[in-house]
Amino acid sequence: LREGKERVHDLELALQDMRERAREQEREQERTMAKILSENHSLKALVSILEEHAETLTFGIQKEDGKNQSLVHELERERLGRLRLREEEEEERRHMRSFVTSQQSEAQHLLQ
């Protein structure tokens, strides 16, 4: 009976430890998501600034016609930069969704 009680106690301690690790993983996920959301907000602000700048450049190109061909190239680089930023954002979001899902699955598994 004593061995059984000791085994139950050991299992309770192990379960408590697993639950604490799962809670810590959840807190880490929350910190990671908060960081990603903050970075996402910064990237959106940067994209907005770049889009405004692109609109200004477009107006200048129309006004100056063929004289400002170099501005056309700069606008294209900025557009590609925005596209790259958007693709990187989306890739990061996909990666984080996958990471969070896997962490949640692992936490669920640990809690079971």
Side-chain angles (χ1 to χ4, degrees), residues 53-93:
H53 186 60
E55 288 174 17
T56 301
L57 290 176
T58 301
F59 177 76
I61 290 169
Q62 290 170 348
K63 185 178 178 182
E64 297 294 323
D65 253 321
K67 176 173 138 180
N68 294 322
Q69 226 17 262
S70 63
L71 291 178
V72 172
H73 297 298
E74 183 179 340
L75 178 61
E76 181 62 16
R77 283 192 302 272
E78 287 182 8
R79 187 185 69 78
L80 291 174
R82 286 194 315 275
L83 288 174
R84 209 171 318 123
L85 275 175
R86 287 181 185 149
E87 289 169 359
E88 289 170 4
E89 273 185 87
E90 188 56 37
E91 180 62 32
E92 186 170 306
R93 278 193 215 103

Side-chain angles (χ1 to χ4, degrees), residues 22-68:
R23 283 191 289 271
E24 180 56 37
Q25 284 181 343
E26 189 174 312
R27 288 188 292 266
E28 182 61 31
Q29 286 175 0
E30 288 171 3
R31 287 189 293 269
T32 301
M33 286 303 292
K35 181 180 177 185
I36 288 169
L37 290 174
S38 174
E39 290 173 357
N40 187 35
H41 179 72
S42 297
L43 289 173
K44 284 181 179 180
L46 179 59
V47 167
S48 177
I49 290 168
L50 288 173
E51 286 172 342
E52 288 176 22
H53 186 60
E55 288 174 17
T56 301
L57 290 176
T58 301
F59 177 76
I61 290 169
Q62 290 170 348
K63 185 178 178 182
E64 297 294 323
D65 253 321
K67 176 173 138 180
N68 294 322

Side-chain angles (χ1 to χ4, degrees), residues 6 15 17 21-22 28 40 75 99 101 104 106 111:
E6 288 175 2
L15 180 59
D17 184 51
R21 282 185 283 166
E28 182 61 31
N40 187 35
L75 178 61
F99 173 77
T101 301
Q104 287 172 337
E106 185 177 332
L111 291 174

